[in-house]
Amino acid sequence: MSGTREPGFRRDGSWVGASVPRKEDPRLLAGRGRFVDDITLPGMLHAQFVRASVAHARITGIDLDGVRETPGVVAAFTAEDLGLADITAVLDRPPHEFVPTAMPVLARDKVRYVGEPLAIVVARDPYAVEDGVELAVVEYDELDPVMSDTAALAPGAVLVHAEAPANTLVDVSMFATEGIDEVFDDAHTVVRVQAKTGRQNALPLETRGVVADWDDRDEQLRVRTCTQIPHQVRTVLARCAGLAERQVRVTVPDMGGGFGQKCVVGREEIAAAAAALKLRRPVKWIEDRRDALTAAFLAREQRYDARAAFDADGAILALDVDIVCDMGAYSCYPFTAGIEPLMASAEMPGVYRLPAYRVRGRAVTTNKAPTGPYRGVSRPQYVMVMERLMEKAARALDLDPVELRRRNVITVFPYKGINNITYDPGSYRESLDLCERVLRDEGWCKVRAESADRVIGIGYSCFSERTGYGSGAFAARKMSVVPGFDIAEIKMDVSGTVVVTSGTMSHGQSHETTLAQIVADRLGLDIDQVKIVQGDTDRVTYGFGSFASRSITIGGSAVGAASGKLGETLREIAAHLLETDLDNTELDGAGGIRLRDDPDRGLSYADIAEIAYLKAHLLPKGVEPGLAATASFDVAGDGTFANATHGVVVELDRGTGDVRILRYVCVEDCGVAIHPQVVEGQCRGGIAQGIAGALFEQVTYDDTGQPLCPSFMEYKVPTAAEIPEVAIHHLETPCAFTENGAKGVGEGGTIGAPAAVLNAVNDALRDTGVELDDTPIPRESVYRALEGTPVEVLERQPV
């Protein structure tokens, strides 16, 4: 099916598949949402951090006397004052493949990037704390900073960490097909792409923050923070502070975006909570935008050198890739510095049948803010490289680029790839065909051919999005912390309504609605009779939060399974009360149980709940009082693959080199769409971030390590004027092993956009002899190519 469904309440009697009004909207749109910065507690203090002003140095002294004398300042703590253990992320790999590096909560002996926290200052109000921070005196013995991957890997380079030779944290060759060199030697055509991608900030609307206080009655450190992974924050905080995990409770209020930046454990949250514990007073820290732009977890800075071999008919024969990822100063917890090179190495073949593959993936450390996950994690980069290889091969073989893709995409499923990943059924060929047909039917190919006075190009990207990573997939990376499963619990009260707890964590994905739709369908309830609870480590047994498009595939499956278990208990009680066999009962789809052989006889959930809670003596033997069920879900295999094709039409401005997007078409297949309107919102938001990476956003530094993008004046974020209208068409290939047939959809928009935009720009430049392979696309390079600057001169231009 294609096209966009109109919003509605139910489709074919089912909540799943209907674009129902979001349950979150009345609260959020009316300004009644409660975010971290909305929380105020009696006696609350405010915290900020003394941060490193140089990129690389030994710390020879920190003088906080002036800070402590500042009016309104209550306390100031260094690392020694708080005495916290370090945060260390580990891979279970041999030393030649992985080097662990400890990240102190507050820097002690050395600073490794501008903005690294050195001390925490706590005051009675936000203004006094800023005054106090200004009076800190830090003395340094400065060292030469390492500011690029090439500098990090250069012979004799200064070491960011003494324990990491050659500044290399990860060096893994995951695949090397025997005889691959001979394949390249004998190939009809070999093409090469050398590409680099700019460092980016995930840029959630709400910056990071925390409110922490100690509760004497509960003997708990209560931490309210905007995180995607509350249970991991609890674990790390307990370990750093020497507490039992029961003594830490992490709760997450409404959250304004995360995009992966908040699915790692931050140092500032731990330090603020430790200050609250030490002072026995509530402490709030809210990250300001300057710190968010310069000192928060960043992502995306990668370099690829890739070769692909093809036969005369355009079939890809082999792929050989070297990947270097600039991961900044430290490994993030729990994913480590391996998150980007391991992702790219494992999944780069993507949607294409590939007989031979060799890859080396490295993570290097530099004097920049650490790298964490960001929507898509390496897939926007390696998809861009793969799609550039396809375009270059098509030119070399004089084939249509879309036709070359058709000859290589996977069409028979399940497909076991050369990367040892099994791909479940998808619509790779169908999405490619539909996307091309839409643009042709709209006349864009004719416009490109007949507009001699305009510079117009059309580009495509065809890709998959691996979602629902189970424990097995993360274990294959040899992580010491292995995410994967999720646990859900459902409780029905005496009135027959339910509360469902989930280990997933909404930060804008509409979980209160989509998870409720799954429950409402499984139990035959109205969606308003379902309440979803997330983000409370005391109420949710355990969970790994939300990232990698796992919330509906894994969290939603756990919720569905728990609902199914509760339904069985309801049937068992009803069968006993109605004096019939269990097999003669069924859910009636309207909040009750009925008899199969006499549908007019039955009991409502409220009737059954009254027995379960208030008249337990009437329950059948072996059934305990109350109505609750718990279920877990994990994916035993390699996860499920959503897929999509993006098609883009661009026009280049001869006078400025600007890239204007005239048309954007997305054909996506996420299996069963729980809420089509939410799916489209995810696609559009992801595409906007992908376009931003392709054309605008890049974190840069000077030679001394000072960030050059401390505000939105320097960090170029697109506005609504730069993001085009996006046409979305749906295909549906249900997943066979999730509870609801859904595949993930959260990252696909971001994954496909850079490749499609870059290919469109290169198509527009087809007559200039220039091909661009880096993002963000340098406007000056586009301008000079259109102006007629020789290719060899253009290639020497810094970008």
Side-chain angles (χ1 to χ4, degrees):
M1 59 190 148
S2 64
T4 303
R5 296 193 193 103
E6 291 298 321
F9 287 92
R10 297 173 73 123
R11 181 192 67 174
D12 301 328
S14 172
W15 290 105
V16 168
S19 293
V20 300
R22 295 198 323 155
K23 290 166 67 70
E24 300 93 331
D25 284 349
R27 178 179 81 254
L28 297 175
L29 296 180
R32 297 195 301 271
R34 195 179 193 216
F35 299 84
V36 171
D37 200 24
D38 294 321
I39 298 171
T40 300
L41 301 178
M44 187 173 74
L45 303 173
H46 297 262
Q48 284 298 337
F49 290 87
V50 177
R51 296 184 180 273
S53 59
V54 298
H56 198 196
R58 297 182 187 91
I59 303 170
T60 58
I62 301 178
D63 184 353
L64 300 180
D65 289 346
V67 176
R68 296 183 177 113
E69 294 170 2
T70 303
V73 169
V74 174
F77 304 114
T78 62
E80 287 72 20
D81 297 324
L82 292 182
L84 297 169
D86 294 342
I87 303 170
T88 306
V90 176
L91 293 177
D92 293 328
R93 289 182 176 273
H96 68 277
E97 291 187 347
F98 173 73
V99 177
T101 51
M103 181 167 65
V105 175
L106 296 175
R108 285 190 300 272
D109 305 318
K110 196 176 183 183
V111 297
R112 293 181 171 88
Y113 64 93
V114 172
E116 183 167 8
L118 303 170
I120 183 171
V121 180
V122 183
R124 294 189 179 91
D125 62 65
Y127 307 101
V129 75
E130 295 286 358
D131 292 340
V133 166
E134 292 294 325
L135 294 177
V137 177
V138 184
E139 296 179 351
Y140 302 104
D141 178 11
E142 291 195 45
L143 303 169
D144 291 335
V146 179
M147 296 311 300
S148 69
D149 60 87
T150 52
L153 294 171
V158 173
L159 296 183
V160 179
H161 295 273
E163 63 270 32
N167 288 312
T168 301
L169 302 181
V170 175
D171 189 347
V172 178
S173 297
M174 296 180 68
F175 305 98
T177 303
E178 187 175 350
I180 192 171
D181 289 323
E182 288 75 14
V183 175
F184 275 96
D185 290 341
D186 297 339
H188 179 275
T189 298
V190 175
V191 292
R192 185 180 186 184
V193 169
Q194 293 177 294
K196 62 179 183 293
T197 58
R199 198 171 193 83
Q200 283 185 260
N201 193 306
L203 216 67
L205 184 64
E206 179 193 22
T207 59
R208 297 178 298 157
V210 62
V211 175
D213 71 307
W214 174 260
D215 188 311
D216 281 313
R217 184 177 185 275
D218 291 337
E219 295 182 335
Q220 267 192 331
L221 183 59
R222 175 78 180 268
V223 180
R224 306 155 186 85
T225 185
C226 48
T227 179
Q228 298 169 232
I229 51 168
H231 286 87
Q232 283 71 65
V233 172
R234 181 184 68 180
T235 293
V236 172
L237 176 53
R239 291 177 181 176
C240 288
L243 299 171
E245 287 213 23
R246 67 165 180 82
Q247 293 180 287
V248 179
R249 181 182 184 184
V250 178
T251 60
V252 183
D254 290 321
M255 180 160 51
F259 307 119
Q261 189 182 79
K262 297 176 184 175
C263 81
V264 293
V265 179
R267 307 159 81 174
E268 292 88 348
E269 294 92 329
I270 305 300
L277 179 63
K278 196 172 186 69
L279 296 170
R280 291 299 199 269
R281 289 183 64 177
V283 172
K284 174 190 280 189
W285 168 70
I286 300 296
E287 182 180 49
D288 66 31
R289 188 58 72 179
R290 180 186 178 91
D291 289 344
L293 285 168
T294 59
F297 291 97
L298 303 175
R300 300 282 202 243
E301 191 169 6
Q302 301 182 7
R303 186 184 299 273
Y304 288 75
D305 189 349
R307 295 185 303 146
F310 292 81
D311 68 15
D313 294 324
I316 188 169
L317 303 174
L319 177 66
D320 187 13
V321 193
D322 185 67
I323 304 165
V324 178
C325 303
D326 184 338
M327 302 303 289
Y330 296 98
S331 273
C332 64
Y333 185 96
F335 301 101
T336 79
I339 183 170
E340 288 195 343
L342 294 181
M343 171 72 84
S345 296
E347 300 186 18
M348 189 161 179
V351 297
Y352 300 110
R353 300 186 303 273
L354 181 64
Y357 181 39
R358 180 169 60 198
V359 61
R360 181 186 185 188
R362 284 175 286 176
V364 300
T365 180
T366 59
N367 293 117
K368 302 173 185 175
T371 289
Y374 174 30
R375 196 174 194 172
V377 182
S378 288
R379 286 169 287 187
Q381 288 69 50
Y382 75 67
V383 167
M384 185 184 88
V385 173
M386 284 298 297
E387 295 299 286
R388 290 298 302 134
L389 289 168
M390 288 292 165
E391 294 283 325
K392 287 176 181 282
R395 287 196 185 191
L397 294 165
D398 196 25
L399 289 171
D400 177 81
V402 175
E403 176 58 30
L404 183 72
R405 290 175 172 86
R406 286 195 186 98
R407 297 182 185 187
N408 286 284
V409 293
I410 302 165
T411 55
V412 177
F413 299 96
Y415 176 81
K416 180 70 173 289
I418 191 70
N419 51 356
N420 292 327
I421 293 174
T422 298
Y423 297 76
D424 63 329
S427 55
Y428 303 171
R429 172 71 180 267
E430 294 83 354
S431 69
L432 179 64
D433 290 346
L434 177 57
C435 189
E436 183 194 37
R437 186 165 67 249
V438 169
L439 288 179
R440 284 191 180 278
D441 289 349
E442 290 180 355
W444 290 106
C445 295
K446 185 177 180 181
V447 170
R448 177 182 59 180
E450 297 179 357
S451 301
D453 57 332
R454 302 171 68 184
V455 186
I456 293 176
I458 301 175
Y460 295 91
S461 67
C462 187
F463 63 95
S464 62
E465 176 192 358
R466 187 181 183 187
T467 73
Y469 289 80
S471 299
F474 284 111
R477 297 183 186 178
K478 301 184 180 180
M479 293 175 62
S480 61
V481 177
V482 183
F485 70 85
D486 221 284
I487 299 173
E489 182 181 48
I490 183 168
K491 293 181 179 179
M492 180 173 283
D493 60 26
V494 179
S495 64
T497 64
V498 297
V499 175
V500 183
T501 60
S502 171
T504 58
M505 188 62 249
S506 178
H507 44 285
Q509 302 97 322
S510 310
H511 291 174
E512 291 178 45
T513 303
T514 53
L515 294 179
Q517 288 176 272
I518 294 170
V519 176
D521 264 2
R522 291 296 291 265
L523 291 176
L525 290 169
D526 187 277
I527 194 173
D528 290 331
Q529 294 176 290
V530 181
K531 173 63 179 175
I532 303 297
V533 175
Q534 298 178 301
D536 187 336
T537 57
D538 272 13
R539 294 188 65 177
V540 179
T541 305
Y542 205 86
F544 285 101
S546 289
F547 54 87
S549 298
R550 68 186 303 274
S551 296
I552 289 298
T553 53
I554 292 180
S557 292
V559 164
S563 302
K565 283 187 176 182
L566 179 60
E568 290 302 300
T569 301
L570 291 164
R571 288 180 57 217
E572 183 177 359
I573 297 172
H576 174 73
L577 297 174
L578 295 171
E579 299 180 336
T580 187
D581 294 333
L582 178 63
D583 291 342
N584 192 35
T585 64
E586 64 182 3
L587 278 62
D588 64 13
I593 305 293
R594 67 188 175 197
L595 301 184
R596 294 180 187 272
D597 62 2
D598 187 2
D600 292 333
R601 287 189 63 205
L603 294 170
S604 70
Y605 291 160
D607 294 334
I608 300 170
E610 184 174 359
I611 299 297
Y613 288 101
L614 306 179
K615 300 176 183 179
H617 63 287
L618 299 178
L619 289 171
K621 187 176 181 178
V623 175
E624 296 181 354
L627 290 171
T630 301
S632 64
F633 185 84
D634 200 349
V635 176
D638 294 323
T640 181
F641 287 81
N643 68 270
T645 297
H646 291 190
V648 180
V649 183
V650 302
E651 182 172 8
L652 309 184
D653 189 311
R654 294 183 184 276
T656 64
D658 277 347
V659 179
R660 180 187 171 204
I661 299 176
L662 302 178
R663 186 61 167 153
Y664 203 111
V665 174
C666 166
V667 178
E668 67 80 28
D669 185 344
C670 65
V672 174
I674 305 298
H675 191 299
Q677 202 170 55
V678 168
V679 168
E680 294 190 4
Q682 290 277 15
C683 292
R684 290 192 172 94
I687 287 167
Q689 288 183 307
I691 291 172
L695 297 177
F696 303 104
E697 295 183 16
Q698 185 173 20
V699 176
T700 56
Y701 299 82
D702 69 14
D703 291 340
T704 68
Q706 293 296 325
L708 297 178
C709 301
S711 75
F712 289 138
M713 291 293 291
E714 298 86 10
Y715 189 74
K716 299 176 182 178
V717 181
T719 69
E722 287 77 41
I723 302 300
E725 181 182 351
V726 177
I728 298 176
H729 297 259
H730 301 276
L731 299 173
E732 189 172 291
T733 308
C735 178
F737 50 82
T738 58
E739 283 276 324
N740 43 54
K743 304 176 180 181
V745 74
E747 300 179 295
T750 311
I751 294 168
V757 172
L758 184 60
N759 282 337
V761 169
N762 278 297
D763 183 53
L765 294 174
R766 60 193 176 277
D767 295 330
T768 68
V770 173
E771 292 190 60
L772 304 176
D773 292 324
D774 299 337
T775 57
I777 299 168
R779 181 197 297 179
E780 182 179 0
S781 295
V782 174
Y783 169 75
R784 291 187 178 277
L786 294 173
E787 188 185 40
T789 301
V791 175
E792 60 273 14
V793 174
L794 188 60
E795 289 177 344
R796 293 197 298 268
Q797 302 258 333
V799 294

